[in-house]
Amino acid sequence: MALHGAALAVHVPDFDAGVERTLNALRSLPDGPVTAIHSDLVPPNIHTDAAGRPVAVLDFGFYTTAGDPAFEAAVTAAVWDMYGPYAQEHTAELTRVFAQELGYAPAVLTVYQAAYLTTYDLFGLDDSDGHFRWCAAVPQHRVQRTGVLITAAR
C-alpha cells in the first residue's frame, strides 16, 4: 500500500476513504478455503490445445500466493481485458458469471477486486503507464456503475 498509494491518490477522488472502506470490507469477510492463487489468469497465461481446451497455466510468478479461490475469480474478472475498449463491460460480465457459476457472492468478488488494487505493485508512478491508468480508472468506473467507491484502494 505504501509503495505507490500517494501517486495513485492524486488521480482517484476520495482515495483514502476508499482504502478504509476496502480494509473494513476485507475484515468482514468470512474465512474461506485456501488454495494456490495465480493472480494473473489472462489469455497469454492459459495454454490451450488445438481444440481450445485449457491444458496448462503458465507464468506463476511474483503475485502467486495462497488464498481464497474467490480472490482468483475476482482478479481474473478484473484483469482479463484491462486495456480493451469494452474492459468495464467484460469485468462486469465475468464477475457476474463467476458469481453465478462458481457460487461466489458478487459483493465478495467486488471486495477482492478492491483488494487487488490495494496490494498490486503499479508498474509506473503516473498516467504515462497503462497499468497505472487502469488502476486509477477502475475506482471511478466502479462509482459510475454502482455508486460505491469501495474499489478506491491502495
Side-chain angles (χ1 to χ4, degrees):
M1 285 174 37
L3 188 58
H4 296 303
L8 191 57
V10 171
H11 297 274
V12 178
D14 201 20
F15 185 78
D16 290 328
V19 169
E20 191 59 35
R21 282 190 294 276
T22 300
L23 292 173
N24 288 336
L26 284 168
R27 288 183 195 108
S28 73
L29 293 177
D31 289 339
V34 175
T35 63
I37 304 296
H38 184 279
S39 301
D40 195 18
L41 288 178
V42 293
N45 291 340
I46 301 171
H47 186 70
T48 59
D49 64 16
R53 292 181 301 259
V55 295
V57 175
L58 310 172
D59 194 25
F60 284 85
F62 71 95
Y63 208 62
T64 299
T65 189
D68 184 345
F71 179 83
E72 184 85 86
V75 171
T76 299
V79 303
W80 188 262
D81 178 26
M82 58 176 30
Y83 301 129
Y86 302 105
Q88 290 180 62
E89 293 86 351
H90 291 158
T91 296
E93 180 63 12
L94 285 172
T95 300
R96 184 193 67 73
V97 168
F98 291 163
Q100 180 179 332
E101 296 296 322
L102 301 174
Y104 301 132
V108 169
L109 297 179
T110 299
V111 168
Y112 281 145
Q113 288 167 350
Y116 176 77
L117 292 174
T118 301
T119 59
Y120 196 79
D121 183 17
L122 303 174
F123 292 112
L125 293 176
D126 60 37
D127 63 3
S128 66
D129 178 81
H131 193 81
F132 182 93
R133 284 192 306 276
W134 178 79
C135 286
V138 166
Q140 296 172 49
H141 296 316
R142 181 70 57 151
V143 170
Q144 292 168 3
R145 195 172 80 236
T146 67
V148 176
L149 185 63
I150 193 169
T151 55
R154 61 178 164 179

